[in-house]
Amino acid sequence: MNNEEFINLLTHDLIFFITLVTIFTALYLLIFSRILFSVFDPLFLPTIFSAIATSTTFFLFFTSQIDFILLMHFAGTQIAFLIGTTATFILFRQSIRTPFPETVATERPQRVWFFFYFFLIIFSGFLILNYYLHGIPALASIQNESRLASYGLTSFSNLKRILDTLSTILPVLSLYLIFFQRPSLIRKIALLFGLLLVLLYGAGLGSKAFLFHFISVAFAFGYIFFKENPFSKLTFPLLIVAVIAAFAVISTYDANFVNYFLYRLAISGDTFYMTYPNNRFSEIESINWFVATFNGLLANLKIIDERMTPLGFSIYQLYYQIADIGPNPRHNVFGLIHYGFIGAFFYSFFIGLLLGVSRAYLTRSRGKGVFRASFSALLLTASSQLETDSSLAISGYLNALLILPFSLLIGSALYLLLSIATQPNAITKSNRSGASKNLRLARPW
């Protein structure tokens, strides 16, 4: 079923669909009430969209578009996902109930400033290199070209992995230095420049969701370091700015952006109505589950010859001859195609487990150091995509587990070398009584 056919079906039973959306939205918010920390939590909007997508699947069944077996398979994978999330929260229930610590862990200022400049230089260099090699995706969109055309290139993918990771770390470091240090005017300009550069990167991607990502990072910072979120008075204005910016990007696709926005809400379940009716999912080529799950990393490391066509693109090509566009491949359909009918339940459970672990780790990071906060922010932004686009979320987890530690390792080595160079007597003094304090100042950790 293509978009036009679904919209036509929807208009004939709109009241029934709205009723389903109301019921499932209330149910989802009730189920996730323990792990949703505020309406500005990055998981909040995906939860709403997932409720709409679930409504779509039940709507297809009640309008005789799919059979009972497929409905039960969808329901089963959703339940497996929820069990995975809930089981993790039961396991980490003590950490979740832990109150906000009385004191917040602080970092050595010179160390944080070093890593801020280190990451800022790397981010600036890779951003310039990316624009030089691949251009600005947003400009391609304005010129009626595909802004996603470069996404299949290994060089672009590698650069984007690094830039995506740093676009989360830089705001955390910048906000930490703004709130917990007293930067000079020069340093304030550097901090603002770093934040502006991150926003420039998001604008260059032409991504409607990047400002929401930026707000999510700010939310993570406030949740980790403050008992009461310091952005509570700013979140609503920032959300309005994000919505306006998203509409500005949408207007490049459709001049009537309000209709386009409502249209996008209505087709939140596009993955399901494009694959479930007439078992169209069976027409998509299935590949090895491990290769499908970690395809981007394997292609980047040259372990496999070429990157597979994103599942969303393959789904869209069932109906339209367009190469670089498609719905978000939700875990239910991704698992069904690449893991099989039974394996999909285990995949959905694993996805739910990741979400639960990430949310529990976030609560354990409250009041901890800025680098742990950076890692938590990466997990938070990745986990918020697990249900709506599990393959993209897995890529985010890999960025957090590979790129951040590697960057910190290189930065720590440089910091240690600079510390030794600026304190040449530190090693000699370490053998003397009381010299351990001086040596600790020279160590990056």
Side-chain angles (χ1 to χ4, degrees):
M1 180 180 294
N2 60 30
N3 292 331
E4 292 76 15
E5 290 171 336
F6 176 71
I7 293 297
N8 182 59
L9 180 68
L10 194 63
T11 53
H12 286 82
D13 290 288
L14 186 59
I15 300 300
F16 178 59
F17 180 75
I18 293 175
T19 302
L20 287 176
V21 169
T22 303
I23 293 172
F24 280 108
T25 300
L27 180 62
Y28 269 60
L29 291 178
L30 178 63
I31 293 174
F32 284 98
S33 59
R34 293 186 61 192
I35 61 175
L36 285 174
F37 303 123
S38 96
V39 294
F40 301 106
D41 189 316
L43 189 61
F44 181 79
L45 282 179
T47 299
I48 299 298
F49 290 134
S50 293
I52 299 175
T54 299
S55 304
T56 298
T57 308
F58 277 83
F59 178 76
L60 291 172
F61 172 75
F62 286 118
T63 54
S64 303
Q65 301 299 318
I66 63 174
D67 57 32
F68 184 71
I69 293 178
L70 265 182
L71 178 68
M72 288 297 97
H73 187 271
F74 167 80
T77 51
Q78 279 298 102
I79 291 173
F81 171 79
L82 294 174
I83 289 176
T85 303
T86 305
T88 308
F89 268 85
I90 292 175
L91 181 64
F92 285 93
R93 61 185 181 274
Q94 293 301 323
S95 69
I96 293 170
R97 294 173 182 173
T98 301
F100 189 81
E102 296 182 1
T103 59
V104 175
T106 57
E107 306 278 355
R108 290 191 292 275
Q110 68 273 21
R111 178 175 168 234
V112 182
W113 278 110
F114 170 82
F115 274 98
F116 167 74
Y117 287 120
F118 173 71
F119 286 128
L120 180 62
I121 292 171
I122 294 178
F123 185 79
S124 302
F126 279 113
L127 184 61
I128 293 171
L129 179 63
N130 186 50
Y131 285 164
Y132 174 76
L133 294 177
H134 305 290
I136 301 176
L139 294 182
S141 177
I142 293 174
Q143 296 168 0
N144 294 322
E145 300 174 2
S146 174
R147 71 178 182 86
L148 303 178
S150 299
Y151 279 53
L153 301 175
T154 300
S155 59
F156 181 86
S157 178
N158 286 331
L159 287 172
K160 190 174 183 299
R161 281 182 180 275
I162 297 172
L163 292 170
D164 284 348
T165 305
L166 296 183
S167 69
T168 299
I169 300 172
L170 265 179
V172 174
L173 291 176
S174 300
L175 292 172
Y176 178 86
L177 291 169
I178 289 172
F179 279 90
F180 292 98
Q181 302 296 325
R182 294 181 179 179
S184 63
L185 179 60
I186 300 288
R187 285 184 167 181
K188 284 181 181 178
I189 293 175
L191 293 170
L192 293 176
F193 174 74
L195 293 174
L196 183 62
L197 201 62
V198 170
L199 291 174
L200 179 64
Y201 167 64
L205 287 176
S207 171
K208 298 182 287 293
F210 189 85
L211 269 178
F212 289 98
H213 164 80
F214 191 82
I215 293 175
S216 299
V217 175
F219 165 83
F221 173 82
Y223 178 80
I224 291 172
F225 286 107
F226 297 92
K227 186 175 183 179
E228 298 293 334
N229 199 319
F231 302 109
S232 58
K233 295 181 180 180
L234 296 176
T235 44
F236 185 74
L238 284 174
L239 188 63
I240 295 298
V241 171
V243 170
I244 293 174
F247 279 155
V249 175
I250 288 173
S251 65
T252 64
Y253 299 92
D254 191 327
N256 193 337
F257 53 78
V258 175
N259 286 346
Y260 184 87
F261 180 71
L262 294 175
Y263 167 77
R264 289 303 307 169
L265 285 178
I267 64 170
S268 294
D270 49 2
T271 301
F272 302 120
Y273 68 69
M274 285 186 170
T275 57
Y276 282 176
N278 302 314
N279 295 331
R280 295 299 302 271
F281 66 87
S282 62
E283 300 176 26
I284 299 174
E285 181 182 3
S286 173
I287 64 175
N288 177 273
W289 64 270
F290 185 82
V291 174
T293 304
F294 304 103
N295 181 266
L297 178 65
L298 296 176
N300 290 351
L301 297 176
K302 300 297 184 180
I303 297 176
I304 58 176
D305 293 334
E306 60 181 278
R307 188 184 307 273
M308 75 174 191
T309 301
L311 180 57
F313 293 0
S314 298
I315 292 173
Y316 208 74
Q317 289 166 15
L318 292 173
Y319 304 94
Y320 305 99
Q321 299 302 314
I322 302 177
D324 300 320
I325 193 173
N328 293 328
R330 292 176 177 269
H331 66 92
N332 322 77
V333 173
F334 186 94
L336 178 61
I337 292 174
H338 296 305
Y339 283 72
F341 193 89
I342 301 300
F345 296 104
F346 294 97
Y347 179 72
S348 295
F349 176 80
F350 173 72
I351 291 299
L353 199 66
L354 277 180
L355 176 61
V357 169
S358 301
R359 305 296 288 189
Y361 185 82
L362 178 68
T363 62
R364 285 193 166 190
S365 299
R366 301 196 77 185
K368 301 299 192 298
V370 66
F371 296 102
R372 181 164 176 172
S374 299
F375 184 69
S376 296
L378 286 168
L379 295 186
L380 179 68
T381 54
S383 65
S384 65
Q385 300 171 317
L386 277 169
E387 190 174 5
T388 56
D389 193 341
S390 56
S391 56
L392 182 61
I394 294 295
S395 179
Y397 277 99
L398 292 175
N399 292 347
L401 294 172
L402 298 177
I403 296 176
L404 177 59
F406 183 71
S407 301
L408 288 176
L409 181 63
I410 295 177
S412 297
L414 290 175
Y415 179 71
L416 182 59
L417 290 174
L418 288 174
S419 299
I420 294 174
T422 55
Q423 299 182 28
N425 297 323
I427 297 179
T428 304
K429 292 180 180 179
S430 64
N431 296 322
R432 301 175 185 175
S433 175
S436 59
K437 182 184 295 186
N438 293 330
L439 184 59
R440 281 199 298 271
L441 290 175
R443 292 167 55 190
W445 301 108

